[in-house]
């Protein structure tokens, strides 16, 4: 019996998430944006439209300044030319605030998987919103009490798809040796890069990005282990002639983000072919873990594959309650899915995960949710199982 595209040897056995303490209501963020560009009525009108339609109600930030009254926040000042925090200032904030969030998510993931720090053999850290050395990986080794010889693999400055890229990499590592246990930790502080908008396109990032961290354990699941996502086949694709659709560069006043409004349209031009390449002639799965890069992306995937609203509800709920958390988001979606499937007492369901980032890049991965893991035994070849 040939291997299922959905279920291989390894699984996500534990997931953890964490968010900073400061909650942002969408209408309050709009007020701050409107104050910062009140002399440009065109941008203000577009801001109102984008903020209402992006699918976000609340987000979280590590920066308490965003709770200041409109016009008093240094990141979004109300007077043209008023100095805003430098990139160095923002990186200091990142170094201070990212580690506690990452530690909390990692501990929750290990507890969910039922393993201790001493069991972790590989650590993959993911982030595109800040950098410092010694890096997040070395800080986590100390804070979590991981083995000093743990294999550390940082994935930095890749974008929103990097969380799923890390899962694909962890799957490859864990499949190479049965006792490998890979801890993935993603942390993103997107709000520290908010700046006064200078164009319509720069409003998209300010309208839906938030802060948070997520983590998971990828390992060979034990027989009977509960509520796991067994990982199947996957691949990534770089879409030709799309590099200008999503741009993320280091500027003097934080990182400068540009998102094209044409991204959902671009996804429609290639995503079906990539999904068919992954799934072959199989029917579409019931579970869809879509990176909620914005309401338009979720809508595009739903329309493209004729999905029910319930199939995209996990992504919509994460976008609504937390915003887009860049690389950390996909694990928020899988955690939401896992909780709902457990509540519904679903025994088994096949799924596909999709994430998107600069390039344009798309990551696709098949998986199977199991309420209780089943032992997977080799049947004499690399691609055959019983």
């Amino acid at each position: 019996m040939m291997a299922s595209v959905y279920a291989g040897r390894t699984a996500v056995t534990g997931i953890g998430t964490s968010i900073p303490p400061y909650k942002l209501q969408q209408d309050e963020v709009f007020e701050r944006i409107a104050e910062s560009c009140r002399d440009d009525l065109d941008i203000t009108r577009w801001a109102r439209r984008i903020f209402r339609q992006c699918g976000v109600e609340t987000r979280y930030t590590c920066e308490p300044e965003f709770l200041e009254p409109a016009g008093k926040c240094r990141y979004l000042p109300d007077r043209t030319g008023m100095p805003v925090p430098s990139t160095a200032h923002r990186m200091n904030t990142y170094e201070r605030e990212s580690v506690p969030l990452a530690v909390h998510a990692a501990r929750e993931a290990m507890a969910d998987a039922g393993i201790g720090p001493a069991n972790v053999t590989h650590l993959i850290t993911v982030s595109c919103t800040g950098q410092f050395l010694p890096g997040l990986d070395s800080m986590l080794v100390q804070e979590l009490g991981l083995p000093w010889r743990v294999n550390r693999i940082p994935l930095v400055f890749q974008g929103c798809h990097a969380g799923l890229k890390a899962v694909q990499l962890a799957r490859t590592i864990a499949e190479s040796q049965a006792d490998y246990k890979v801890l993935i930790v993603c942390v993103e502080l997107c709000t520290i890069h908010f700046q006064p908008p200078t164009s319509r396109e720069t409003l998209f990032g300010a309208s839906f990005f938030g802060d948070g961290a997520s983590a998971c354990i990828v390992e060979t699941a034990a027989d009977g282990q509960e509520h796991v996502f067994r990982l199947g086949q996957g691949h990534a694709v770089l879409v030709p002639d799309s590099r200008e659709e999503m741009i993320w560069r280091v500027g003097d006043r934080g990182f400068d983000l540009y998102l094209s409004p044409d991204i959902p349209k671009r996804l429609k031009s290639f995503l079906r072919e990539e999904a068919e390449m992954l799934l072959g002639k199989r029917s579409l799965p019931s579970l869809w873990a879509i990176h909620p890069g914005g309401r338009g992306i979720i809508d595009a995937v739903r329309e493209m594959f004729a999905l029910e609203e319930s199939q995209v509800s996990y992504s919509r709920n994460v976008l609504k309650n937390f915003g887009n958390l860049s690389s950390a988001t996909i694990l928020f979606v899988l955690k939401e899915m896992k909780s709902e499937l457990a509540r519904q007492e679903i025994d088994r369901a096949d799924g596909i995960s999709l994430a998107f980032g600069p390039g344009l890049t798309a990551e696709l991965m098949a998986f199977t949710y199991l309420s209780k893991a089943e032992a997977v035994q080799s049947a004499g070849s690399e691609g055959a199982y019983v």
Side-chain angles (χ1 to χ4, degrees):
M1 177 179 174
M2 291 305 295
S4 168
V5 68
Y6 294 108
R9 291 187 178 95
T10 58
V12 172
T13 59
I15 302 177
T17 59
S18 62
I19 51 175
Y22 307 111
K23 189 174 185 178
L24 297 175
Q25 299 291 342
Q26 188 72 338
D27 56 349
E28 294 174 352
V29 180
F30 168 73
E31 289 178 6
R32 289 162 177 77
I33 291 287
E35 279 291 319
S36 70
C37 58
R38 61 186 179 185
D39 295 331
D40 191 326
L41 296 181
D42 180 59
I43 290 182
T44 302
R45 284 193 295 268
W46 269 94
R48 180 177 290 106
R49 177 180 176 183
I50 292 169
F51 270 69
R52 286 177 177 175
Q53 296 179 353
C54 70
V56 177
E57 291 186 6
T58 59
R59 292 177 274 170
Y60 293 82
T61 179
C62 66
E63 178 54 82
E65 276 205 38
F66 285 110
L67 302 183
E68 294 290 331
K72 301 297 182 181
C73 174
R74 288 184 301 157
Y75 292 82
L76 298 169
D78 61 352
R79 294 189 301 276
T80 302
M82 183 178 179
V84 299
S86 65
T87 300
H89 174 91
R90 297 170 198 250
M91 291 301 93
N92 288 336
T93 301
Y94 176 89
E95 183 173 355
R96 182 182 68 248
E97 301 293 339
S98 63
V99 177
L101 285 173
V103 167
H104 184 279
R107 285 176 175 159
E108 186 176 284
M110 289 188 290
D112 191 34
I115 72 169
N119 302 118
V120 175
T121 60
H122 295 72
L123 171 64
I124 302 176
T125 49
V126 187
S127 188
C128 67
T129 49
Q131 298 180 31
F132 63 92
L133 286 174
L136 178 64
D137 55 338
S138 62
M139 297 297 291
L140 287 176
V141 171
Q142 298 179 57
E143 294 291 328
L144 295 173
L146 301 178
W148 294 111
R149 293 183 178 86
V150 67
N151 194 327
R152 294 176 287 132
I153 307 170
L155 299 181
V156 297
F157 211 64
Q158 291 196 17
C160 297
H161 68 286
L164 188 55
K165 169 64 73 180
V167 176
Q168 304 227 47
L169 175 59
R171 169 182 174 266
T172 301
I173 293 169
E175 283 189 341
S176 68
Q177 190 162 314
D179 60 349
Y180 281 169
K181 299 182 186 299
V182 185
L183 170 61
I184 299 171
V185 184
C186 309
V187 59
E188 303 289 8
L189 304 184
C190 305
T191 66
I192 65 173
H193 297 290
F194 284 2
Q195 303 174 35
T198 56
S199 67
R200 295 179 180 181
E201 289 77 14
T202 58
L203 287 167
F204 287 104
S207 69
F208 53 68
F209 276 105
D211 298 350
S214 62
C216 73
I217 296 293
V218 175
E219 60 178 331
T220 300
D223 191 24
Q225 196 163 1
E226 296 184 338
H227 308 301
V228 305
F229 291 108
R230 199 181 287 281
L231 302 175
Q233 298 175 24
H235 71 267
V237 58
L238 185 64
V239 184
D241 304 319
S242 297
R243 65 182 184 183
E244 300 300 322
E245 301 296 317
M246 189 182 302
I247 299 171
W248 186 231
R249 293 194 173 109
V250 179
D252 294 332
R253 303 187 301 174
F255 296 174
D256 300 326
L257 175 65
Y258 169 82
L259 294 173
S260 167
D262 295 330
I263 291 175
K265 185 187 304 182
R266 294 289 296 170
L267 293 180
K268 286 184 177 181
S269 70
F270 76 92
L271 194 55
R272 177 175 293 280
E273 179 181 348
E274 296 302 320
E276 291 174 351
M277 180 178 295
L278 176 62
L279 303 178
K281 296 181 179 180
R282 299 169 181 84
S283 58
L284 294 177
S286 59
L287 300 178
W288 289 73
I290 306 162
H291 168 70
R295 178 180 174 181
I297 288 178
I298 300 173
D299 289 344
V301 175
R302 183 191 175 193
E303 177 183 342
M304 194 182 327
F305 296 101
L307 304 179
E308 299 292 333
E309 180 59 30
S310 60
Q311 293 177 282
V312 298
S313 62
Y314 315 106
S315 299
R316 288 209 199 277
N317 288 341
V318 169
L319 183 64
K320 174 183 175 182
N321 297 319
F322 302 101
N324 181 346
L325 306 162
S326 191
S327 69
T329 321
I330 197 65
L331 291 177
F332 274 76
V333 174
L334 288 171
K335 184 180 180 182
E336 172 102 1
M337 180 180 289
K338 177 178 176 178
S339 297
E340 182 60 19
L341 293 172
R343 187 189 69 80
Q344 295 181 15
E345 299 183 342
I346 302 297
D347 289 331
R348 180 189 181 103
D350 291 330
I352 185 171
S353 184
L354 310 170
F356 317 102
L360 289 170
T361 300
E363 296 278 345
L364 302 88
M365 190 173 203
F367 64 87
T368 295
Y369 167 80
L370 297 171
S371 61
K372 285 191 176 181
E374 307 157 354
V376 180
Q377 300 175 347
S378 175
S381 71
E382 188 63 25
Y385 306 91
V386 294

